[in-house]
Amino acid sequence: MGEAEKKTVDLAQDRRKQILRAAVEVFAERGFHRTRVSDIARRAGVAYGLIYHYFDSKDHVLNSVFEENWGVFLKVLGDLRDSEELTAPAKLERISALLIDALQVAPSIIQVIIQEISRSDRFVHAEKVSAFTGAFDVVHDIIVAGQAAGDLSPRLDPRVAAYIFFGALETICTGAMLGTIQCKTPEEATRVKATVKEALLQGMLTDKGSEKDAT
Amino acid sequence: MGEAEKKTVDLAQDRRKQILRAAVEVFAERGFHRTRVSDIARRAGVAYGLIYHYFDSKDHVLNSVFEENWGVFLKVLGDLRDSEELTAPAKLERISALLIDALQVAPSIIQVIIQEISRSDRFVHAEKVSAFTGAFDVVHDIIVAGQAAGDLSPRLDPRVAAYIFFGALETICTGAMLGTIQCKTPEEATRVKATVKEALLQGMLTDKGSEKDAT
Amino acid sequence: MGEAEKKTVDLAQDRRKQILRAAVEVFAERGFHRTRVSDIARRAGVAYGLIYHYFDSKDHVLNSVFEENWGVFLKVLGDLRDSEELTAPAKLERISALLIDALQVAPSIIQVIIQEISRSDRFVHAEKVSAFTGAFDVVHDIIVAGQAAGDLSPRLDPRVAAYIFFGALETICTGAMLGTIQCKTPEEATRVKATVKEALLQGMLTDKGSEKDAT
Amino acid sequence: MGEAEKKTVDLAQDRRKQILRAAVEVFAERGFHRTRVSDIARRAGVAYGLIYHYFDSKDHVLNSVFEENWGVFLKVLGDLRDSEELTAPAKLERISALLIDALQVAPSIIQVIIQEISRSDRFVHAEKVSAFTGAFDVVHDIIVAGQAAGDLSPRLDPRVAAYIFFGALETICTGAMLGTIQCKTPEEATRVKATVKEALLQGMLTDKGSEKDAT
DNA sequence: AATGAATGAGAGTTCATTCAT
DNA sequence: GATGAATGAACTCTCATTCAT
């Protein structure tokens, strides 16, 4: 490939990324289905026709957002699961930290993924479900391994626990996006992480509460 | 009001309920915006024009679903908060049990509320946000009170903890609706409730895990 | 079915017919693909949305034109073939007369069918091809039978002859629609029929021409 | 003009021809309006922008196909008409032979011309009509002359007869392109020509059929 | 000459909503 | 009350054409 060709390809990739970035922004603001193709175009500063140069359809744009962002996250999750250096609780803590940090770096992307992952066409678009279940499976595996190692409570249904873990994180993302959870500065993020760790790992109870609760 | 008139009103109320029930079903199946007014009508067994006799618009139908169902739940939550007989942890446990039980009785309603509460039109429709924040505030208040009473960990940011609590329950609802969490029989429900209690209140860690984690 | 319902059905059928008539007119004038759905609507004096009440799509409108007109013609052709009272030449003559008469009664319909039967999406829309081959088969059968009875020249390839027969008629239709063949009055029609009969059955040659041509 | 310049012009002409050839192929396969400019380009192995160096528009490409192919045919037809060595029937036979032979050499070109000549845009693009009427006039003139010479039946309306003649040939072309008329090998072509001659000149009737028909 | 990114008019289709019956 | 025919705004997608490189 010559220099000139390479440059052209790069430019094309840039345009693609530019459109994708714009799409993420407007999807985050208005939601996928309230977003018109022309909204994406306007935000990207291009004609709407151009979007069809780079993507097959509006749906395809969303899918690309998923693939090119969630895929990376999934990869990291997978590596984490397979790591032998960390205990299960440490892995879970790491995952929540990852997500909360991502929230600071790229809140829109997280928002879109979280929002649209559970869109009702989920029954139709298998990729999205599998995107979700992919991450779910990792957490599920970590919990099972943690129980086997004696680090996590054997009284947890690992499947339900994985849902709880994800749900907690998802809602924090939503809160962050709504601005009802402050999570912009490193300090704020640290505070959020601490609460997640406390609530999910140590439990919300104090010893006192725990005693009373001894049913 | 004469007998005849009263009967007419009752019949009208029946029709309204009939449409609302149908709406909940199809909203649950397809999501609000993928549902056509004619879908609701077909499910209800009426002509679609009739829906405009009882509701101003399609949006209005959804709002009614919220008001007439979530409102009831909110009332119960409020009463629970104000109860002086229960500790904060017991109140939280009660709330999760309420929701999980509701999931068995009226899964569609829960699904619709959960699905649409976090929809992107939330910025537009204030009722829905307030519907959500109404419930959120209750949980928040309970957590704050629990911390004050020494029953709940003072290390929790109460706002974040409330989100975590809600998120966990929300995702369980989603899992139940997707069929990936079994929650139909009383036994299954009990098991789910137990995991929620264990994970959120006691924490996922065992003592062993807890020691290792003593950072 | 009550009177009222029946009337409603009739009115609906009327609207359908009204749209179909308008469609035939504009298809004849501009061709199918140059015709916008809104053109049909304007001609029919309705909103374009209404067309989608009665037809699934623009394609469907065309298909309906085919089915509801060509189908009738095909039926007549089939009956003609099966008639035992007429010789093959008489049947062919009858067919050409049928078409030329139809041209006076409903020129637009004939034009649309002729024009669009050979549309290039013919490879896609099997109905139209079969519409054509249906008619073709009848003529083919008549020619074969005529040869067997000794009424038609055994030197004809029946398949090619059927094409010739149809092509001659088709082009006359085109000419009539272009206005280059006068075929409006009964006298003109008679004259056209006579030439068709003369050219196709007797042949264009005179005896004199025939002798010279005796290769 | 220097050698180099001339070579450039030739190359330019080659490119033009290359595009035109590609256009004919895809027009034949998909029809003019279903063909995208990019289809032509892909088939020609050039960028679609280049087509606009050689042609003003997509329409212009089609027009060029007409002019540069039909024009040649028209010239031959004109010469044939003016020939004093052949009788009218011989001329007609020659024309049909010309077309059927062309069908073997360049079926796509014939197909495109036949298909698009009778398209609905005919009212818009005068060239195409005149292309058609040019050929029509020749046949018309030949028939009139043949009648005057006593070689062709005086009972024919020469205008209608010319249409019949053309229509027969046109449909044979269509059949050949659809593959329903075998016309590839010289033997097959001969057979087709024989049927055309028999049907149009001698007539389809046998003497027996002729007697019965003596109305 | 050659490329293909960029543009935007234009077309088909959907569906919430209105309203005459 | 009840129906569904009728309307048209809104939206996605196509593709001929232009133009900077």
Side-chain angles (χ1 to χ4, degrees):
Chain A
M1 197 191 283
E3 265 304 300
E5 255 181 55
K6 191 155 166 296
K7 196 177 282 176
T8 303
V9 168
D10 285 355
L11 284 174
Q13 280 307 313
D14 284 356
R15 266 284 194 259
R16 212 190 115 90
K17 291 274 183 237
Q18 174 187 357
I19 291 170
L20 231 30
R21 257 195 309 275
V24 164
E25 285 175 30
V26 290
F27 286 164
E29 285 169 20
R30 306 175 48 87
F32 175 75
H33 92 268
R34 311 269 291 193
T35 300
R36 281 157 275 159
V37 173
S38 61
D39 291 332
I40 305 174
R42 193 177 320 111
R43 180 67 60 99
V46 300
Y48 59 83
L50 191 58
I51 291 175
Y52 292 91
H53 246 3
Y54 292 99
F55 304 92
D56 287 345
S57 66
K58 187 183 153 189
D59 272 336
H60 228 76
V61 175
L62 181 58
N63 288 342
S64 296
V65 172
F66 269 72
E67 285 159 20
E68 292 171 34
N69 293 288
W70 189 249
V72 175
F73 187 61
L74 270 190
K75 180 73 177 56
V76 175
L77 284 197
D79 290 347
L80 199 57
R81 171 185 51 194
D82 301 337
S83 153
E84 296 183 353
E85 294 164 24
L86 297 171
T87 61
K91 287 177 180 178
L92 294 179
E93 192 183 343
R94 188 72 67 92
I95 291 174
S96 82
L98 263 174
L99 205 62
I100 291 165
D101 288 338
L103 216 44
Q104 294 174 261
V105 179
S108 298
I109 291 177
I110 303 295
Q111 168 161 20
V112 171
I113 289 173
I114 295 288
Q115 288 289 318
E116 307 300 339
I117 219 170
S118 56
R119 275 211 358 257
S120 31
D121 0 8
R122 85 183 96 84
F123 300 104
V124 186
H125 297 301
E127 323 90 59
K128 275 173 228 151
V129 182
S130 70
F132 174 71
T133 59
F136 173 81
D137 288 345
V138 170
V139 175
H140 180 262
D141 291 352
I142 290 175
I143 290 175
V144 169
Q147 290 178 316
D151 293 330
L152 292 178
S153 165
R155 287 187 298 277
L156 298 168
D157 176 327
R159 178 173 291 275
V160 175
Y163 266 93
I164 289 172
F165 183 78
F166 257 116
L169 294 180
E170 189 217 287
T171 317
I172 287 172
C173 291
T174 303
M177 294 177 305
L178 286 174
T180 50
I181 288 185
Q182 293 303 323
C183 196
K184 291 273 169 56
T185 68
E187 293 73 32
E188 290 166 345
T190 302
R191 186 173 171 74
V192 171
K193 287 179 207 172
T195 295
V196 171
K197 184 181 170 186
E198 181 77 14
L200 291 177
L201 296 182
Q202 311 286 358
M204 292 183 175
L205 291 182
T206 55
D207 290 343
K208 181 181 162 228
S210 198
E211 279 157 26
K212 285 187 192 167
D213 189 59
T215 354
Chain B
M1 194 190 288
E3 264 303 299
E5 257 181 54
K6 187 155 168 295
K7 197 179 279 177
T8 304
V9 169
D10 285 355
L11 282 175
Q13 280 307 312
D14 284 354
R15 267 282 196 258
R16 212 188 117 89
K17 290 278 183 228
Q18 174 187 359
I19 291 170
L20 231 28
R21 258 196 309 275
V24 166
E25 285 176 29
V26 291
F27 286 163
E29 286 170 18
R30 306 174 48 87
F32 174 73
H33 93 269
R34 309 270 291 190
T35 298
R36 278 155 276 165
V37 172
S38 62
D39 291 332
I40 305 173
R42 195 178 317 112
R43 183 65 61 98
V46 301
Y48 56 84
L50 190 58
I51 290 176
Y52 290 89
H53 266 289
Y54 294 100
F55 304 92
D56 288 345
S57 68
K58 186 184 154 188
D59 273 356
H60 204 80
V61 175
L62 180 58
N63 288 341
S64 297
V65 172
F66 268 71
E67 286 158 19
E68 293 173 30
N69 292 287
W70 191 247
V72 174
F73 188 60
L74 269 190
K75 180 74 176 57
V76 175
L77 284 196
D79 291 347
L80 200 57
R81 170 183 51 193
D82 301 337
S83 153
E84 296 183 353
E85 293 162 26
L86 296 170
T87 62
K91 288 177 179 177
L92 294 180
E93 193 183 341
R94 189 69 68 91
I95 292 175
S96 83
L98 265 174
L99 205 62
I100 291 165
D101 288 338
L103 216 43
Q104 293 173 262
V105 178
S108 297
I109 292 177
I110 304 295
Q111 168 160 21
V112 171
I113 289 172
I114 295 290
Q115 288 289 318
E116 307 300 338
I117 218 169
S118 56
R119 260 287 176 308
S120 34
D121 340 15
R122 88 186 90 83
F123 299 105
V124 186
H125 299 299
E127 320 89 58
K128 276 179 230 154
V129 182
S130 70
F132 174 71
T133 58
F136 172 81
D137 287 346
V138 169
V139 174
H140 180 260
D141 292 351
I142 291 174
I143 290 174
V144 169
Q147 288 178 317
D151 293 329
L152 291 179
S153 166
R155 288 189 296 276
L156 298 168
D157 176 326
R159 177 175 292 276
V160 175
Y163 267 96
I164 289 172
F165 183 77
F166 258 116
L169 293 179
E170 187 217 288
T171 316
I172 286 171
C173 292
T174 303
M177 293 176 308
L178 287 175
T180 49
I181 288 186
Q182 293 302 323
C183 197
K184 292 272 169 59
T185 68
E187 292 74 33
E188 289 167 346
T190 303
R191 185 173 172 75
V192 171
K193 288 178 205 170
T195 294
V196 172
K197 182 182 172 187
E198 179 79 16
L200 291 178
L201 297 183
Q202 311 287 357
M204 293 183 176
L205 291 184
T206 55
D207 291 343
K208 180 180 163 228
S210 198
E211 280 158 27
K212 284 189 192 165
D213 189 58
T215 355
Chain C
M1 196 191 286
E3 265 303 298
E5 255 181 54
K6 191 154 166 293
K7 196 178 281 176
T8 303
V9 168
D10 286 355
L11 282 174
Q13 281 306 314
D14 283 355
R15 266 285 194 259
R16 211 189 117 91
K17 291 275 183 236
Q18 175 187 357
I19 291 170
L20 231 29
R21 258 196 307 276
V24 164
E25 284 176 30
V26 290
F27 287 164
E29 284 170 21
R30 306 174 49 87
F32 174 75
H33 90 268
R34 311 270 290 191
T35 299
R36 281 157 274 158
V37 172
S38 61
D39 291 332
I40 305 174
R42 193 176 320 112
R43 181 68 59 98
V46 300
Y48 58 82
L50 191 59
I51 291 175
Y52 291 92
H53 246 4
Y54 293 99
F55 303 93
D56 286 344
S57 67
K58 187 183 154 190
D59 271 336
H60 228 75
V61 175
L62 181 59
N63 287 341
S64 296
V65 172
F66 267 72
E67 285 159 20
E68 293 172 30
N69 292 288
W70 189 248
V72 175
F73 187 60
L74 270 191
K75 181 72 176 57
V76 175
L77 284 197
D79 290 348
L80 199 57
R81 170 185 50 194
D82 300 336
S83 152
E84 294 184 353
E85 292 165 23
L86 297 170
T87 63
K91 288 176 179 178
L92 294 178
E93 192 183 343
R94 188 71 68 90
I95 290 174
S96 83
L98 264 173
L99 205 63
I100 292 165
D101 287 338
L103 216 44
Q104 292 174 262
V105 178
S108 298
I109 291 177
I110 303 293
Q111 167 161 20
V112 171
I113 289 172
I114 295 287
Q115 288 289 318
E116 306 302 338
I117 218 169
S118 57
R119 278 213 356 259
S120 30
D121 1 9
R122 86 183 94 85
F123 300 105
V124 185
H125 298 301
E127 323 91 60
K128 277 174 227 149
V129 181
S130 70
F132 174 70
T133 58
F136 172 81
D137 287 346
V138 169
V139 174
H140 180 261
D141 291 351
I142 291 175
I143 291 175
V144 169
Q147 288 179 316
D151 293 330
L152 292 178
S153 166
R155 287 188 298 277
L156 298 169
D157 176 325
R159 177 173 291 275
V160 176
Y163 266 95
I164 289 172
F165 182 78
F166 257 115
L169 293 179
E170 188 217 287
T171 316
I172 286 172
C173 291
T174 302
M177 293 175 308
L178 287 174
T180 48
I181 288 186
Q182 295 302 323
C183 196
K184 291 273 169 57
T185 67
E187 292 73 34
E188 288 167 345
T190 303
R191 185 173 170 75
V192 172
K193 287 179 206 171
T195 294
V196 172
K197 183 181 170 186
E198 180 78 15
L200 290 178
L201 296 182
Q202 311 288 355
M204 293 183 175
L205 290 183
T206 55
D207 291 344
K208 181 179 163 231
S210 198
E211 279 158 27
K212 283 188 192 166
D213 189 59
T215 355
Chain D
M1 196 190 284
E3 264 304 299
E5 259 180 51
K6 189 156 166 296
K7 196 178 280 175
T8 303
V9 169
D10 285 355
L11 282 174
Q13 280 307 313
D14 284 355
R15 267 283 195 260
R16 212 187 116 90
K17 290 278 183 230
Q18 174 187 358
I19 291 169
L20 231 30
R21 257 195 309 275
V24 165
E25 284 176 30
V26 291
F27 287 164
E29 286 169 17
R30 304 175 48 87
F32 174 74
H33 94 268
R34 311 270 291 191
T35 298
R36 278 155 277 167
V37 172
S38 62
D39 291 332
I40 305 173
R42 194 178 320 113
R43 182 65 62 97
V46 301
Y48 57 82
L50 190 59
I51 290 176
Y52 290 88
H53 268 287
Y54 294 99
F55 303 92
D56 288 344
S57 68
K58 186 183 153 189
D59 273 359
H60 204 81
V61 175
L62 181 58
N63 288 341
S64 297
V65 171
F66 268 72
E67 284 159 20
E68 294 173 32
N69 293 287
W70 191 249
V72 174
F73 187 61
L74 270 189
K75 180 72 174 57
V76 175
L77 284 197
D79 290 348
L80 198 58
R81 170 184 53 194
D82 301 338
S83 152
E84 296 182 353
E85 293 164 24
L86 296 170
T87 61
K91 288 177 180 178
L92 294 179
E93 192 183 343
R94 188 70 67 91
I95 291 174
S96 83
L98 264 174
L99 205 62
I100 291 165
D101 288 337
L103 216 44
Q104 293 173 263
V105 179
S108 298
I109 292 178
I110 303 296
Q111 168 161 20
V112 171
I113 290 172
I114 295 289
Q115 288 289 319
E116 306 300 338
I117 219 169
S118 56
R119 261 284 175 313
S120 35
D121 337 15
R122 87 184 93 80
F123 299 105
V124 186
H125 299 299
E127 321 88 58
K128 277 179 228 153
V129 182
S130 70
F132 174 70
T133 57
F136 172 81
D137 287 347
V138 169
V139 173
H140 181 260
D141 290 353
I142 290 174
I143 291 173
V144 169
Q147 289 179 315
D151 292 329
L152 292 178
S153 166
R155 286 187 299 276
L156 298 167
D157 177 326
R159 178 173 290 274
V160 175
Y163 267 94
I164 289 173
F165 183 77
F166 258 116
L169 293 180
E170 188 217 289
T171 315
I172 286 172
C173 291
T174 302
M177 293 176 307
L178 286 174
T180 48
I181 288 186
Q182 294 302 322
C183 197
K184 293 272 169 58
T185 67
E187 292 75 32
E188 288 167 346
T190 302
R191 184 172 172 76
V192 172
K193 288 179 205 171
T195 294
V196 172
K197 182 181 171 187
E198 180 78 15
L200 292 177
L201 297 183
Q202 310 288 357
M204 292 183 176
L205 290 182
T206 55
D207 289 345
K208 180 179 164 233
S210 196
E211 278 159 27
K212 285 187 194 167
D213 189 60
T215 353

